[in-house]
Amino acid sequence: MTQSPSTALHDLGVHDLAQALAARQVSAVELARHFLDRATASTHADLGAFVAINPEVTLAQARAADARIANGTAGVLEGVPIAHKDIFVTQDFPTTAGSRMLSGYRSPFDATVVAKLAAAGAVTLGKLNCDEFAMGSSNENTAVPAVGHSVVEPVRNPWDTARVPGGSSGGSAAAVAARLSPAATGTDTGGSIRQPAAFCGITGIKPTYGRASRYGMVAFASSLDQAGAMAHSAHDCALLLSALCGPDPDRDSTSLDVPAQDFCANLNDSIEGLRIGLPQEFFSDGVASDVRSAIDVALRELEKLGARLVPIRLPRTELSIPVYYIIAPAEASSNLSRFDGVKFGHRARDYADLADMYRKTRAEGFGDEVKRRIMIGTYVLSHGYYDAYYLQAQKIRRMIADDFQEAFKSCDVIAGPVAPTVAWKIGAHKDPLADYLADIFTLPASLAGLPGMSVPVGFGAGNMPVGMQLIGNYLQEARLLNVAHRLQQVTDFHLQNPQGV
Ligand code: GLN
């Protein structure tokens, strides 16, 4: 362990815990108990991060991990507790995707990402709150009561409980920030790992589209959905990502035929001479000055480490909002047609005939944001509008991807803000458009299928965390993690704790 002996167990990250477990300084059962107790303590439960906990299952997994440590068959994450965004299906815990539609649903199998982390030895602490079907930027769209809550409430940001944790992986970000879990899985369709990581002061990475299997991830927009890791540090993210990525040809036809990689191997590489591209469009008047100054300081640190800052252009940045909010709802309207009251979860109690059953089930089961997107998606795919909206959006999507390739001719990594502001107050965005507009800096990399991450770089208004985004070219996750790790060796924002947790 690198920390002093007085460091509390829950302040340790994945790397340190794995070492402590392997050295038998702590057992997996002790760790599981410690984190379960923390997650269910009333002040922590008030955050609303967890939607399912099952101590029996967790402790059984922990005992099995201890046995493997004892008999020398331990995996790299053996005994390390993690929690999963409730969008990954799990056999041993219910899966709701934040929706009433899936109440009572139990998957007969584990998502590939869940299975891969379990195969590496990780112990599942429970399932984490999220926006319904991952649609949202604040976690206010959840329709599921959290553990210890009798009614549905938004997840709270541990740095200021009057503020949102970001979304859609808000439960994951809040749990890691409050030290209720050393790490968590998340999914990112248009920013849902990077933005909540930024809002809660943790590190998060979304790999290249296709690097992690989508099998068992409840589908939102299939050409964009991607799983990733959320933890305290880039090092911890690298450990998780190494375990969860890899081809899955039999189960996800879009998974890339690229072998699993050890993302820890290049963490310490020098960044001397690295060209960091700063898109003019990401440093516009639309970025709050507190966010801007924290990022400027981090960029200067990177310069001191030998990186060179080069101005670049991503000229279609603004178009990523209308393009994403056509393509994502279009795919969602198709994906969500499977929730019809027959195959999964909720079914209306009283209905006249089959069509009435479908109608009532969907009216009762889906929340407002999901319905809004199904309607938009159905509209843009309908005859007469398909060419004008959907096809046009696909063409611009290609141009956005081409803009990145042009930019990567003059830089190795791109840096900028994750979001225009720090986390806003719960209830502040009355109009859904306000949420959509705040996605402006995360959507371009999603549309292009590029890897992106968020690294804590300081504090802004209200002492809320600020995240810096790093975007790499395809399959350059190791480079991003390397840059983030070098930065985290000279800064300590990722080690800071919200007050009172
Ligand atoms: N905020 C975006 C949306 O609402 C992104 C969500 C996500 O990445 N899952 O669609």
Side-chain angles (χ1 to χ4, degrees):
M1 278 192 278
T2 50
Q3 266 79 2
S4 70
S6 61
T7 307
L9 272 182
H10 49 263
D11 284 325
L12 298 178
V14 174
H15 172 72
D16 290 331
L17 289 174
Q19 281 197 338
L21 282 155
R24 316 275 281 267
Q25 290 163 341
V26 67
S27 74
V29 167
E30 277 174 82
L31 271 186
R33 285 218 173 93
H34 181 80
F35 279 100
L36 286 173
D37 286 350
R38 253 183 98 68
T40 46
S42 62
T43 49
H44 296 145
D46 285 350
L47 295 170
F50 279 87
V51 288
I53 276 179
N54 184 339
E56 249 174 67
V57 166
T58 302
L59 291 170
Q61 290 182 9
R63 277 191 293 274
D66 281 331
R68 284 189 293 267
I69 292 169
N71 70 22
T73 58
V76 279
L77 298 176
E78 202 66 62
V80 176
I82 62 163
H84 294 293
K85 181 177 184 180
D86 199 24
I87 201 109
F88 292 95
V89 302
T90 40
Q91 250 179 320
D92 295 331
F93 298 84
T95 302
T96 65
S99 184
R100 276 187 301 274
M101 189 56 104
L102 280 174
S103 59
Y105 173 68
R106 187 65 79 116
S107 168
F109 64 95
D110 282 334
T112 298
V113 161
V114 171
K116 275 177 162 288
L117 287 165
V123 169
T124 306
L125 281 176
K127 303 292 290 288
L128 298 163
N129 218 331
C130 59
D131 282 309
E132 186 173 3
F133 291 106
M135 298 177 190
S137 306
S138 67
N139 222 132
E140 290 166 295
N141 295 339
T142 179
V144 174
V147 171
H149 295 230
S150 51
V151 292
V152 179
E153 285 178 79
V155 180
R156 294 175 183 280
N157 190 315
W159 291 90
D160 175 356
T161 53
R163 295 184 192 246
V164 301
S168 64
S169 313
S172 303
V176 175
R179 275 62 178 158
L180 310 186
S181 180
T185 52
T187 61
D188 194 311
T189 302
S192 282
I193 287 176
R194 290 161 286 163
Q195 187 255 26
F199 280 12
C200 291
I202 64 162
T203 309
I205 182 162
K206 163 204 118 71
T208 306
Y209 178 78
R211 271 218 109 162
S213 173
R214 288 185 298 108
Y215 184 69
M217 253 166 68
V218 177
F220 164 13
S222 307
S223 76
L224 294 152
D225 295 345
Q226 188 55 199
M230 302 172 80
H232 299 309
S233 66
H235 191 168
D236 288 356
C237 283
L239 278 163
L240 246 61
L241 211 61
S242 307
L244 68 83
C245 286
D248 195 12
D250 298 336
R251 292 174 165 156
D252 175 3
S253 60
T254 60
S255 90
L256 291 173
D257 188 16
V258 177
Q261 187 179 330
D262 175 7
F263 291 109
C264 297
N266 299 93
L267 286 175
N268 288 307
D269 285 4
S270 162
I271 60 164
E272 185 77 47
L274 183 87
R275 296 166 307 165
I276 299 182
L278 307 181
Q280 186 185 311
E281 297 76 6
F282 281 37
F283 290 87
S284 62
D285 293 345
V287 181
S289 58
D290 54 332
V291 171
R292 178 70 201 257
S293 352
I295 289 172
D296 283 344
V297 173
L299 291 173
R300 274 201 293 281
E301 290 296 338
L302 291 172
E303 271 187 309
K304 281 191 222 155
L305 293 167
R308 270 197 304 124
L309 307 181
V310 293
I312 57 161
R313 296 285 320 269
L314 289 173
R316 293 177 184 85
T317 297
E318 270 189 15
L319 288 178
S320 65
I321 298 174
V323 167
Y324 173 88
Y325 281 99
I326 287 171
I327 293 174
E331 295 185 18
S333 72
S334 165
N335 273 328
L336 271 56
S337 65
R338 74 191 65 172
F339 301 106
D340 56 6
V342 177
K343 300 183 275 298
F344 307 96
H346 179 73
R347 178 183 297 171
R349 200 174 309 182
D350 304 309
Y351 47 87
D353 52 25
L354 186 64
D356 192 42
M357 192 274 279
Y358 289 160
R359 230 180 344 256
K360 287 198 174 122
T361 297
R362 289 168 68 83
E364 292 168 8
F366 291 136
D368 288 348
E369 184 59 26
V370 175
K371 286 178 185 159
R372 185 177 297 122
R373 298 206 190 188
I374 291 174
M375 285 191 281
I376 294 171
T378 307
Y379 180 82
V380 299
L381 289 176
S382 57
H383 185 72
Y385 297 106
Y386 180 89
D387 288 4
Y389 293 106
Y390 183 72
L391 220 56
Q392 199 66 14
Q394 290 290 19
K395 287 180 186 162
I396 303 171
R397 179 180 189 176
R398 164 49 69 93
M399 291 172 174
I400 290 170
D402 289 347
D403 288 345
F404 274 109
Q405 291 316 308
E406 193 53 38
F408 282 124
K409 286 181 184 158
S410 56
C411 67
D412 306 300
V413 164
I414 294 171
V418 173
T421 63
V422 296
W424 51 84
K425 291 260 166 70
I426 292 171
H429 286 183
K430 303 271 180 274
D431 180 351
L433 266 184
D435 273 15
Y436 300 175
L437 293 174
D439 290 340
I440 183 160
F441 302 127
T442 49
L443 298 179
S446 296
L447 289 164
L450 294 167
M453 73 182 293
S454 175
V455 194
V457 291
F459 297 89
N463 204 30
M464 295 305 290
V466 175
M468 177 171 75
Q469 183 173 203
L470 296 172
I471 300 170
N473 211 341
Y474 299 111
L475 304 177
Q476 295 295 306
E477 293 81 5
R479 202 41 158 163
L480 299 184
L481 290 160
N482 164 223
V483 177
H485 180 68
R486 296 303 304 251
L487 184 63
Q488 291 182 340
Q489 287 177 319
V490 293
T491 58
D492 68 353
F493 301 114
H494 62 295
L495 299 175
Q496 296 192 23
N497 253 322
Q499 289 255 307
V501 300

